[in-house]
Amino acid sequence: MRSITRRHFLSGSMAVAATIAATPLGFANSITPLQLRTGTRTIEVNGRSATVLGIEGPGNRQGLFLDPGEDFNVRLVNGLNEATIIHWHGQIPPNEQDGVPDLPQPLLKPEEIRSFSFKPHAGTHWMHAHLPHQELGLLAAPLIVRTAEDLAADRQEIVMFLQDFSFKSPQELMEGLEDAHAAMGHGAPSTAANTHGGHGGHGGHGGHGSPSAETTAAVHDINDIDFDAYLVNSRTLDDPETHQVEKGGRVLLRVINAGSATVFFIDTGELDARLLAVDGQPIEPVEDRLFPVAMGQRLDLEVAIPAKGGAFPILALREGAPERTGLVLATPGAKIKRLPGSSAAKAPIMDSSLEGRLLARSPLEASGDTQVTEVLLGGEMSPYEWSINGKRWPNHTPIAAKSGQRSEFILRNMSGMGHPMHLHGHIFQVVEIAGQRINGARRDTVYVPANETITIAFDGGETASWMFHCHHIPHMATGMMTLVEVS
Ligand code: C2O
Ligand code: CU
């Protein structure tokens, strides 16, 4: 049983502080860079061992955890035997350090070292390769930047890093997608429901030439890859991570959906949870026990452990499906029941109902002069191709924005699948959902459900080309990516 109490956690950060100079405020300010190294690691998936990719940071821990006042001062070493490049998702570094292939820096060759240095943004963020096959290979890790309030709060911090895993190689997975959908031979778009969970029952209809009622536009596609396992901190429910917690204590769950192609619902079970931030950006707290999180997004959830104690599984349910994963919070001596990796009931399907309840803690100031751009999200399962404004990356027409000036993007999803859209270099605000103006969350990744429209607003940042793409990796890999050119 692994347990990280708040005390361990503080002494851990003090150990780090001892090796670096303290500022007059008492906060650590690193002088020697912190090392991150990409490489392979072995994980255990349902009794089978698997070699996957990862990013090891200080203390042999995956990823990076920074205390208040610490700079992002990193020496990245490529320990893989192939080229890679790492993007700091949620951070706004100088464009040069954004970690996107050739925009503007080239990939790091094997054993190449590159330095990064910038002021980090606080919150729950993450880092990952910006190459689809490596993202499918789990080359990702947490990037947590704590605030002074985090350290002062009497609560334990636990990261829930969600991933989807397959024993197939990334290449096989991508080929499988393209073949499976091509083999169905449907002429109409988005009729792949037959092969997916939830719609398997009507295979007997035959007559693929004329779509049945179930395969018309009303059917939305979810989960276009069936993974072999769903992971929290690299483990399945077979052998979940168990954290010892205090009776009557509080826990901050930093949830990161690093899945390639899976939306999850976080189910806090018996515990009431307060959603405090999304994508690292504070919101007016929202109470619930079930919260959707799309690929690329993060949730900061605070839960209170009952005074009577016990064992409390925190689950991550695969959208629209019975599979699930999770970790367990347990007070000393509590009996921990084993939970199957699949439940009798299917999880719900993500829509914009949670997004519509979120209110930013620091919304954008009103701006008179706004440039409005319509962005069409398109694509279909057969052929398996996804686009932005009708173009498939590397073919693209950059979207123009002006530095220091307000832009609004009307994201119109013309397709039968939802898309988590991520903009680099900016923290936008969700300002309209299905025609309803809202003072919504600030964030960097917004989920646009099938056939819905969501508008985001932001002030143009550094004069540069910034990536804008879907964070569903097979969608991104088959074209759903473009650039926002800030001039
Ligand atoms: Cu998290 Cu361009 O990505
Ligand atoms: Cu997509």
Side-chain angles (χ1 to χ4, degrees), residues 295 386 417-421 470-472 475-476 480:
M295 297 77 92
W386 302 89
M417 258 191 112
H419 304 288
M421 299 303 297
C470 178
H471 226 290
H472 181 297
H475 290 186
M476 167 178 149
M480 204 163 204

Side-chain angles (χ1 to χ4, degrees), residues 414-478:
M414 321 294 286
S415 78
M417 258 191 112
H419 304 288
M421 299 303 297
H422 172 48
L423 175 61
H424 287 217
H426 297 81
I427 308 289
F428 54 75
Q429 185 180 9
V430 178
V431 294
E432 190 170 319
I433 299 180
Q436 231 1 79
R437 274 320 263 199
I438 57 166
N439 205 3
R442 301 285 307 266
R443 61 192 317 158
D444 57 53
T445 308
V446 67
Y447 185 76
V448 189
N451 304 114
E452 278 196 35
T453 298
I454 287 187
T455 303
I456 58 171
F458 62 93
D459 292 329
E462 185 191 335
T463 303
S465 294
W466 295 98
M467 284 257 131
F468 181 50
H469 62 88
C470 178
H471 226 290
H472 181 297
I473 302 307
H475 290 186
M476 167 178 149
T478 57

Side-chain angles (χ1 to χ4, degrees), residues 1-2 232-233 235-243 314-315 325-328 336-339:
M1 175 153 122
R2 258 218 262 170
V232 169
N233 302 341
R235 293 158 81 153
T236 62
L237 274 184
D238 248 28
D239 177 28
E241 208 174 76
T242 301
H243 292 267
I314 307 292
L315 300 175
T325 181
L327 52 69
V328 181
I336 298 166
K337 267 205 315 220
R338 183 129 158 223
L339 288 166

